[in-house]
């Protein structure tokens, strides 16, 4: 009988432990002697081009793909477990791709931010979560009060970001924190001049 594929999505805010969970699942699959491939989008070059690295420094080798088409080319025919890190950065074609892989019998595991710094659904995540067989939603710890945190708070030059601040800010210092709903902050959009 054909192997039954599965689509798992690991989601949550920054610092929730998504990368650690993805790495844990990749290692388990390797212990199980499965043929494993780990991918991340090539835009995420925060740490290392060919590594998945968690905030605590846990690492695992990864291949990069700049879009879904490249991912499709790089996935080997005999891969049994396919893991995708920072999946929120791929466009919506990733959803059909993951579903097709799972239909083919592959165990697909994706990790990604479910909300952006405005608490809005991030890229393809809503559709991916709807298509999943299993959703693992993790929470971080609020960096202000210590409560469980589901949100990613963006700070620009020491103050809460504006709603319409661009994703890339030239010349500004920015940082992100995990925050609970009581401590989450965002400023209204800037007026257009
Ligand atoms: P994610 O991929 O979701 O951003 P990582 O797997 O990279 O998360 O990092 C999770 C690790 O970060 C935790 O195991 C913990 O050791 C550390 N960490 C640092 N700050 C926090 C926080 N505010 N809440 C939870 N974990 C934190
Ligand atoms: Zn809080």
């Amino acid at each position: 009988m054909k192997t039954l594929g599965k689509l798992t999505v690991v989601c949550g805010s920054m610092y929730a432990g998504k990368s650690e969970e993805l790495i844990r699942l990749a290692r388990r699959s390797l212990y199980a002697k499965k043929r494993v491939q780990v991918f991340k989008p090539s835009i995420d070059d925060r740490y290392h081009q060919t590594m998945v690295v968690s905030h605590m420094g846990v690492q695992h080798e990864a291949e990069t793909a700049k879009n879904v088409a490249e991912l499709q080319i790089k996935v080997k025919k005999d891969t049994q477990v396919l893991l995708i890190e920072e999946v929120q950065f791929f466009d919506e074609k990733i959803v059909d791709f993951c579903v097709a892989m799972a239909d083919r019998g592959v165990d697909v595991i994706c990790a990604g931010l479910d909300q952006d710094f405005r608490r809005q659904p991030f890229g393809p995540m809503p559709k991916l979560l709807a298509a999943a067989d299993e959703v693992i939603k993790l929470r971080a710890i609020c960096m202000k009060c210590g409560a469980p945190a589901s949100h990613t708070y963006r700070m620009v030059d020491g103050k809460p970001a504006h709603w319409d601040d661009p994703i890339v800010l030239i010349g500004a210092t920015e940082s992100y924190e995990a925050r609970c709903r009581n401590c989450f902050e965002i400023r209204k959009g800037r007026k257009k001049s």
Side-chain angles (χ1 to χ4, degrees), residues 68 71 84 87 90-99 124 128:
V68 178
L71 186 62
I84 308 171
V87 71
F90 286 103
D91 70 37
E92 285 204 352
K93 290 194 216 74
I94 195 73
V95 182
D96 284 347
F97 173 71
C98 289
V99 169
L128 204 55

Side-chain angles (χ1 to χ4, degrees), residues 142-148 179-184:
C142 174
M143 290 180 182
K144 195 169 176 198
C145 80
R179 291 276 179 107
C180 74
R181 63 177 69 253
N182 289 343
C183 301
F184 177 81

Side-chain angles (χ1 to χ4, degrees), residues 36-99:
V36 176
Q37 276 189 290
V38 182
F39 283 95
K40 59 185 229 175
S42 28
I43 33 171
D44 177 36
D45 54 0
R46 274 183 309 176
Y47 300 99
H48 198 285
Q49 266 298 326
T50 54
M51 288 282 189
V52 172
V53 185
S54 86
H55 286 101
M56 290 304 286
V58 184
Q59 305 193 359
H60 197 282
E61 278 177 21
E63 298 171 62
T64 57
K66 62 174 187 294
N67 52 36
V68 178
E70 193 175 282
L71 186 62
Q72 218 152 359
I73 293 166
K74 288 188 170 180
V75 172
K76 295 177 189 152
K77 282 216 160 48
D78 63 351
T79 291
Q80 295 168 299
V81 186
L82 171 64
L83 300 104
I84 308 171
E85 167 78 343
E86 302 278 18
V87 71
Q88 77 277 356
F89 289 133
F90 286 103
D91 70 37
E92 285 204 352
K93 290 194 216 74
I94 195 73
V95 182
D96 284 347
F97 173 71
C98 289
V99 169

Side-chain angles (χ1 to χ4, degrees), residues 117 153-162 165-167 169-176 187 190:
F117 73 96
Y153 163 70
R154 184 185 194 198
M155 226 177 343
V156 177
D157 292 333
K159 296 201 196 106
H162 287 96
D165 273 343
I167 297 298
L169 278 167
I170 316 258
T173 342
E174 63 165 343
S175 55
Y176 293 90
R187 288 187 286 169
R190 292 171 198 272

Side-chain angles (χ1 to χ4, degrees), residues 13-20 54-56 140-141 143:
S13 68
M14 271 178 77
Y15 298 100
K18 302 181 298 299
S19 301
E20 282 177 0
S54 86
H55 286 101
M56 290 304 286
I141 297 298
M143 290 180 182

